[in-house]
Amino acid sequence: MAEKLLTDAAPASGTPGAPRLAWPVAVDADQARERVRARLGRAGASAALQARLYLHPMLAVELAWHRRRREGAAHALVDLVGGRAFVVEPWTEVPFVPVEELAKLDGYSARDVRDGAARFGPPVARVTVDEAVGTARRLLTSVLLRRRRLGSGSSFELRRDPLVVGKPNWWVTGSVSGRPVEVVVDAVSGRHYAFRG
């Protein structure tokens, strides 16, 4: 079944739909709320916080490179909302899980997590697959040419079909001393972004 999901999650082109696979959650809702409380200091101890799971759409790209008798692979993730690419460790080793499994963590159905039927909508992919692959190719080619000093005569090609995956985040909301709090906590690393409060 996992192989079928991997195949189904690989887009042909155009703007991809919601991810069907995601990284496993390493930081649960309670841990996300505790991290926000810790960031708020003493005032955070009494904060009433809610955490909602959502998926940020990413495109995982693997590029093969060849230069004379040398060859290898490089991996990138492209944010399908903002278009930024990142060089990453091989995502091919990640035990991606079906979105349905993540839905159980938050009490929502898989459709809720995919489609954002909670109080907010999840980020929607704005970057097409072709644009994302092009961005990943430019980044990886640049990095490989600089760091590996591959130079001219090198060839770069997709090693496998790109994969649309969701990066799970917790959207933590509430209030502290009458002020609203809104924080995005990465459900994989535990880091927080977009802190307001």
Side-chain angles (χ1 to χ4, degrees):
M1 175 164 158
E3 192 60 42
K4 172 139 177 48
L5 280 171
L6 283 172
T7 303
D8 289 348
S13 63
T15 305
R20 296 187 59 203
L21 294 173
W23 272 266
V25 169
V27 175
D28 65 24
D30 290 336
Q31 292 169 318
R33 284 189 290 265
E34 284 310 311
R35 288 173 194 240
V36 172
R37 282 190 181 97
R39 178 74 165 84
L40 291 168
R42 279 188 286 175
S46 62
L49 301 173
Q50 299 81 40
R52 301 285 186 220
L53 188 66
Y54 75 93
L55 299 178
H56 192 96
M58 306 289 278
L59 188 72
V61 178
E62 183 178 15
L63 197 68
W65 56 267
H66 307 278
R67 169 91 165 116
R68 295 189 188 125
R69 292 192 176 119
R70 295 171 59 201
E71 62 181 51
H75 299 80
L77 288 175
V78 182
D79 177 343
L80 289 171
V81 177
R84 187 168 176 209
F86 308 88
V87 177
V88 295
E89 294 294 319
W91 52 263
T92 51
E93 305 300 318
V94 175
F96 292 114
V97 297
V99 169
E100 289 78 10
E101 287 185 29
L102 294 183
K104 296 172 192 170
L105 296 173
D106 200 21
Y108 293 113
S109 70
R111 182 177 177 184
D112 289 338
V113 173
R114 272 199 310 264
D115 300 339
R119 292 180 2 198
F120 62 98
V124 176
R126 294 187 181 111
V127 177
T128 68
V129 171
D130 293 336
E131 290 168 336
V133 168
T135 300
R137 184 184 298 273
R138 285 188 298 279
L139 173 68
L140 291 174
T141 301
S142 171
V143 168
L144 290 170
L145 288 173
R146 268 195 335 260
R147 291 188 188 161
R148 299 270 186 185
R149 298 183 182 153
L150 295 180
S152 62
S154 302
S155 65
F156 305 95
E157 58 196 43
L158 284 176
R159 190 172 202 174
R160 66 181 78 218
D161 288 337
L163 181 67
V164 175
V165 292
K167 186 179 80 61
N169 293 316
W170 293 104
W171 186 41
V172 181
T173 59
S175 63
V176 176
S177 303
R179 289 187 351 228
V181 172
E182 211 173 339
V183 184
V184 174
V185 177
D186 187 315
V188 178
S189 71
R191 284 189 253 158
H192 65 272
Y193 309 94
F195 193 94
R196 188 183 110 200

